[in-house]
Amino acid sequence: MAQPPIHWNANDEGNSIPAVNFSDLNVYAKELVPAIIPKLPSAEQINTEMEQKYARSTTAPTTTAETLNETTKSNTSAVSKGKKAIAAVKGDTERQKEPLNILFCGHVDAGKSTIAGHLLFLTGQIDQRTLEKHQVEARENSRESWMHAFAMDTTKEERAHGITVEVGRAWFETERKHIVILDAPGHRHFVPNMIVGAAQADVAVLVVSARRGEFETGFERGGQTREHTMLVKAAGVRHMIVLINKMDDSTVNWDRDRYDEIKNKLIPYLKKCGFKSDEDITFIPCSGMKGAFLKKAPEEQCAPWYTGSTFAEYLDSLPPFNRNIDGPFRMPIVEKYKDMGMIVMGKIESGCCRVGDQCVIMPNRNRVKVTNIYYEDMETDFCICGENVRLKLANIDEDKISSGSVLCSTESEPCHVGKIVVVEHKSFISPGYSAVLHIYGASFEVQLQKLIVLVDRKTGERTQPNPRYIKQDHAAIARFQLSQSGKGICMELFKNFAPLGRFTLREENGTVAVGKILAIVE
């Protein structure tokens, strides 16, 4: 099996989007409380140390796991009480591991939630008592095989129908990684929710069913295997892990020929979407129900032909990501709720944040103050890019935070707010065409104003100015405008800040186009 690449950069040219044929919060967290808490330093000593480390983190580039850990080992605001100092000790111990956000995607009923739930049980995030409770509830619904999925599917609707609706969230740890699971819905009606999850992912985990007939249904036209693959690449995810699930099914029985058949069918399409087979794609056979090859290889020799890593082992072996810790603070808000104050959730895409920092919420330009930072169930004073966190904000009402809002630092220029966008676009459309534009967690209806020029897909040269229309397999530069006047959407040029510079254009029946933002008219 191919080893993971030595180094990945989420903003390099490898993440440009190639031409493609288009046809309740759930956190099982355990707080680490040391058995013996050492003597705590004074508030002055803590403050001095933290300020020194924060100064280093903002003046020197950070590209390795060691320097990332050095930044996260200490909090960055003064601790004046013993209780807060103890929290700092817990944070120092807990956050020495690199954050990694993985997205489970794929066709409905492929077993994404079952794999995620079983992995949480195997890594100790779910105890036996909780598993038995899920088993009883699943048996009452005559769906005992859903017991592991109940760890991720927490609402009554999801458990009654066995379909994930919202992006489930949980976490577990390996020896070197703190891994956040984002469990995306597989039904085509909930693709907009899946796009929000894909925007937060560092690594995509495509789950396909090896059961005969199920893989073919998901991979053929109309199945979500194809669309999800294209969408995660459009979101800038470079590495794809393909879990071939249900290998223990009676129609498969760990047959290597079936494994190779699925692998050989997927590779050409993955390459077509822009993934490089030798560097970016990894295949692992598994059984979500039995847990085979999730954390450990099964004791019985069910698949002696597979000699590669287990899923958890491979995740732990991934090299560090190049995080933009020195950039301006940017956190797209994916969820909000009230809990003794206003809480917002999201993945920090750039920079860092401390308790007490003054920020601005774009596009409404509301100024807020960060009063608390929560990393999983642990309160801390400091967070950096790559971490999926919850922030408590002061001086803001819930109705002032809209879909697609971005939390930015006041010490640097906030993200741009565009009303007219020039994008690189691929599909069959003409001026006057309307669709829904998705940028990170935001979605707005837009209308095509003008087709500027056709672009050669291979050379990138501009070929035909002012075309009347573009069709499938064409690439073009086009100008879009928000349909609702007076509205703005947070975005950036792709070359400046890729996470807010990518877009997906969708209709009711599916994805129409993907592309990148080349110019913004505010």
Side-chain angles (χ1 to χ4, degrees), residues 226-252:
R226 288 176 178 266
E227 186 173 15
H228 281 203
T229 301
M230 181 261 297
L231 288 173
V232 296
K233 187 59 181 177
V237 178
R238 178 174 177 179
H239 190 72
M240 172 73 76
I241 301 173
V242 182
L243 291 183
I244 302 181
N245 190 27
K246 303 184 183 181
M247 288 293 294
D248 59 324
D249 186 79
S250 59
T251 65
V252 182

Short mmCIF file of all heavy atoms in Angstrom, two decimals, residues 226-252:
data_model
loop_
_atom_site.label_atom_id
_atom_site.label_comp_id
_atom_site.label_asym_id
_atom_site.label_seq_id
_atom_site.Cartn_x
_atom_site.Cartn_y
_atom_site.Cartn_z
N ARG A 226 -20.55 9.35 -6.44
CA ARG A 226 -19.91 10.24 -7.40
C ARG A 226 -19.99 11.70 -6.94
O ARG A 226 -18.98 12.42 -6.95
CB ARG A 226 -20.57 10.09 -8.77
CG ARG A 226 -20.25 8.80 -9.49
CD ARG A 226 -21.01 8.71 -10.80
NE ARG A 226 -20.68 7.51 -11.53
CZ ARG A 226 -19.74 7.43 -12.48
NH1 ARG A 226 -19.04 8.50 -12.79
NH2 ARG A 226 -19.51 6.30 -13.11
N GLU A 227 -21.19 12.16 -6.56
CA GLU A 227 -21.35 13.56 -6.21
C GLU A 227 -20.55 13.92 -4.97
O GLU A 227 -19.91 14.98 -4.92
CB GLU A 227 -22.83 13.90 -6.00
CG GLU A 227 -23.07 15.39 -5.77
CD GLU A 227 -24.53 15.77 -5.72
OE1 GLU A 227 -25.37 14.86 -5.59
OE2 GLU A 227 -24.82 16.97 -5.79
N HIS A 228 -20.55 13.05 -3.96
CA HIS A 228 -19.78 13.34 -2.75
C HIS A 228 -18.28 13.42 -3.05
O HIS A 228 -17.57 14.25 -2.49
CB HIS A 228 -20.06 12.26 -1.69
CG HIS A 228 -21.35 12.47 -0.97
ND1 HIS A 228 -21.60 11.95 0.27
CD2 HIS A 228 -22.46 13.14 -1.32
CE1 HIS A 228 -22.81 12.29 0.67
NE2 HIS A 228 -23.35 13.01 -0.30
N THR A 229 -17.80 12.54 -3.92
CA THR A 229 -16.38 12.57 -4.28
C THR A 229 -16.01 13.89 -4.92
O THR A 229 -14.99 14.52 -4.59
CB THR A 229 -16.06 11.42 -5.25
OG1 THR A 229 -16.38 10.17 -4.62
CG2 THR A 229 -14.58 11.42 -5.62
N MET A 230 -16.84 14.34 -5.84
CA MET A 230 -16.58 15.61 -6.53
C MET A 230 -16.68 16.79 -5.56
O MET A 230 -15.89 17.73 -5.63
CB MET A 230 -17.56 15.77 -7.68
CG MET A 230 -17.40 17.04 -8.48
SD MET A 230 -18.58 18.28 -7.95
CE MET A 230 -20.10 17.47 -8.38
N LEU A 231 -17.64 16.74 -4.64
CA LEU A 231 -17.85 17.86 -3.71
C LEU A 231 -16.71 18.00 -2.72
O LEU A 231 -16.31 19.12 -2.37
CB LEU A 231 -19.17 17.69 -2.97
CG LEU A 231 -20.44 17.93 -3.82
CD1 LEU A 231 -21.69 17.57 -3.02
CD2 LEU A 231 -20.51 19.38 -4.30
N VAL A 232 -16.16 16.90 -2.22
CA VAL A 232 -15.05 17.01 -1.27
C VAL A 232 -13.80 17.55 -1.96
O VAL A 232 -13.02 18.30 -1.37
CB VAL A 232 -14.75 15.67 -0.54
CG1 VAL A 232 -15.92 15.25 0.30
CG2 VAL A 232 -14.37 14.59 -1.52
N LYS A 233 -13.62 17.20 -3.23
CA LYS A 233 -12.49 17.76 -3.97
C LYS A 233 -12.70 19.25 -4.22
O LYS A 233 -11.77 20.05 -4.12
CB LYS A 233 -12.30 17.02 -5.30
CG LYS A 233 -11.03 17.44 -6.04
CD LYS A 233 -9.79 17.19 -5.20
CE LYS A 233 -8.53 17.63 -5.92
NZ LYS A 233 -7.33 17.44 -5.09
N ALA A 234 -13.96 19.61 -4.52
CA ALA A 234 -14.27 21.03 -4.72
C ALA A 234 -14.07 21.82 -3.44
O ALA A 234 -13.77 23.01 -3.48
CB ALA A 234 -15.71 21.18 -5.20
N ALA A 235 -14.22 21.17 -2.27
CA ALA A 235 -14.03 21.83 -0.98
C ALA A 235 -12.55 21.95 -0.62
O ALA A 235 -12.22 22.53 0.43
CB ALA A 235 -14.76 21.08 0.12
N GLY A 236 -11.66 21.41 -1.44
CA GLY A 236 -10.23 21.54 -1.20
C GLY A 236 -9.61 20.39 -0.46
O GLY A 236 -8.44 20.47 -0.07
N VAL A 237 -10.34 19.31 -0.26
CA VAL A 237 -9.77 18.13 0.42
C VAL A 237 -8.85 17.41 -0.55
O VAL A 237 -9.26 17.04 -1.66
CB VAL A 237 -10.88 17.19 0.90
CG1 VAL A 237 -10.27 15.95 1.56
CG2 VAL A 237 -11.80 17.91 1.88
N ARG A 238 -7.63 17.21 -0.15
CA ARG A 238 -6.64 16.62 -1.06
C ARG A 238 -6.56 15.11 -0.94
O ARG A 238 -6.35 14.42 -1.93
CB ARG A 238 -5.26 17.23 -0.81
CG ARG A 238 -4.18 16.61 -1.68
CD ARG A 238 -2.86 17.31 -1.53
NE ARG A 238 -1.84 16.65 -2.33
CZ ARG A 238 -0.58 17.05 -2.43
NH1 ARG A 238 -0.19 18.12 -1.77
NH2 ARG A 238 0.30 16.40 -3.16
N HIS A 239 -6.71 14.58 0.27
CA HIS A 239 -6.47 13.15 0.48
C HIS A 239 -7.78 12.40 0.69
O HIS A 239 -8.66 12.85 1.43
CB HIS A 239 -5.56 12.92 1.68
CG HIS A 239 -5.09 11.51 1.80
ND1 HIS A 239 -4.16 10.96 0.94
CD2 HIS A 239 -5.43 10.52 2.64
CE1 HIS A 239 -3.95 9.70 1.27
NE2 HIS A 239 -4.71 9.41 2.31
N MET A 240 -7.91 11.28 0.04
CA MET A 240 -9.12 10.46 0.11
C MET A 240 -8.77 9.06 0.61
O MET A 240 -7.91 8.37 0.06
CB MET A 240 -9.75 10.36 -1.28
CG MET A 240 -10.89 9.37 -1.40
SD MET A 240 -12.40 9.96 -0.61
CE MET A 240 -12.97 11.15 -1.82
N ILE A 241 -9.45 8.65 1.69
CA ILE A 241 -9.37 7.27 2.18
C ILE A 241 -10.67 6.58 1.81
O ILE A 241 -11.75 7.05 2.16
CB ILE A 241 -9.16 7.22 3.70
CG1 ILE A 241 -7.88 7.96 4.10
CG2 ILE A 241 -9.11 5.78 4.21
CD1 ILE A 241 -7.69 8.10 5.60
N VAL A 242 -10.59 5.49 1.09
CA VAL A 242 -11.77 4.73 0.68
C VAL A 242 -11.90 3.51 1.57
O VAL A 242 -11.03 2.62 1.54
CB VAL A 242 -11.70 4.31 -0.80
CG1 VAL A 242 -12.97 3.57 -1.21
CG2 VAL A 242 -11.50 5.53 -1.70
N LEU A 243 -12.95 3.49 2.38
CA LEU A 243 -13.24 2.31 3.19
C LEU A 243 -14.25 1.43 2.46
O LEU A 243 -15.40 1.84 2.24
CB LEU A 243 -13.81 2.73 4.55
CG LEU A 243 -12.88 3.42 5.54
CD1 LEU A 243 -13.60 3.69 6.86
CD2 LEU A 243 -11.63 2.58 5.79
N ILE A 244 -13.83 0.25 2.06
CA ILE A 244 -14.74 -0.70 1.39
C ILE A 244 -15.38 -1.52 2.50
O ILE A 244 -14.78 -2.46 3.03
CB ILE A 244 -13.99 -1.56 0.37
CG1 ILE A 244 -13.33 -0.66 -0.67
CG2 ILE A 244 -14.94 -2.54 -0.31
CD1 ILE A 244 -12.57 -1.40 -1.76
N ASN A 245 -16.60 -1.14 2.86
CA ASN A 245 -17.30 -1.67 4.02
C ASN A 245 -18.12 -2.92 3.65
O ASN A 245 -18.31 -3.23 2.48
CB ASN A 245 -18.21 -0.57 4.59
CG ASN A 245 -18.80 -0.94 5.93
OD1 ASN A 245 -18.22 -1.73 6.68
ND2 ASN A 245 -19.95 -0.40 6.24
N LYS A 246 -18.61 -3.58 4.68
CA LYS A 246 -19.46 -4.78 4.55
C LYS A 246 -18.76 -5.91 3.81
O LYS A 246 -19.39 -6.69 3.10
CB LYS A 246 -20.77 -4.42 3.85
CG LYS A 246 -21.56 -3.31 4.55
CD LYS A 246 -22.90 -3.05 3.89
CE LYS A 246 -23.62 -1.88 4.56
NZ LYS A 246 -24.95 -1.60 3.96
N MET A 247 -17.45 -6.00 3.99
CA MET A 247 -16.70 -7.10 3.38
C MET A 247 -17.07 -8.44 3.99
O MET A 247 -16.79 -9.50 3.41
CB MET A 247 -15.20 -6.85 3.52
CG MET A 247 -14.63 -5.75 2.63
SD MET A 247 -14.66 -6.14 0.88
CE MET A 247 -13.51 -7.51 0.79
N ASP A 248 -17.70 -8.40 5.19
CA ASP A 248 -18.11 -9.64 5.85
C ASP A 248 -19.49 -10.11 5.39
O ASP A 248 -19.96 -11.16 5.84
CB ASP A 248 -18.13 -9.44 7.36
CG ASP A 248 -19.07 -8.32 7.78
OD1 ASP A 248 -19.17 -7.32 7.05
OD2 ASP A 248 -19.72 -8.45 8.84
N ASP A 249 -20.13 -9.38 4.50
CA ASP A 249 -21.45 -9.76 4.03
C ASP A 249 -21.40 -11.12 3.32
O ASP A 249 -20.38 -11.48 2.71
CB ASP A 249 -21.98 -8.68 3.08
CG ASP A 249 -23.41 -8.93 2.65
OD1 ASP A 249 -24.32 -8.63 3.46
OD2 ASP A 249 -23.62 -9.42 1.53
N SER A 250 -22.53 -11.84 3.40
CA SER A 250 -22.57 -13.19 2.82
C SER A 250 -22.38 -13.18 1.31
O SER A 250 -21.96 -14.19 0.73
CB SER A 250 -23.91 -13.85 3.17
OG SER A 250 -25.00 -13.09 2.68
N THR A 251 -22.68 -12.06 0.64
CA THR A 251 -22.49 -11.98 -0.80
C THR A 251 -21.04 -11.67 -1.17
O THR A 251 -20.69 -11.72 -2.36
CB THR A 251 -23.40 -10.90 -1.41
OG1 THR A 251 -23.01 -9.61 -0.91
CG2 THR A 251 -24.85 -11.15 -1.06
N VAL A 252 -20.22 -11.36 -0.17
CA VAL A 252 -18.82 -10.99 -0.43
C VAL A 252 -17.86 -11.95 0.26
O VAL A 252 -16.96 -12.52 -0.36
CB VAL A 252 -18.53 -9.55 0.03
CG1 VAL A 252 -17.10 -9.16 -0.30
CG2 VAL A 252 -19.52 -8.57 -0.61
#
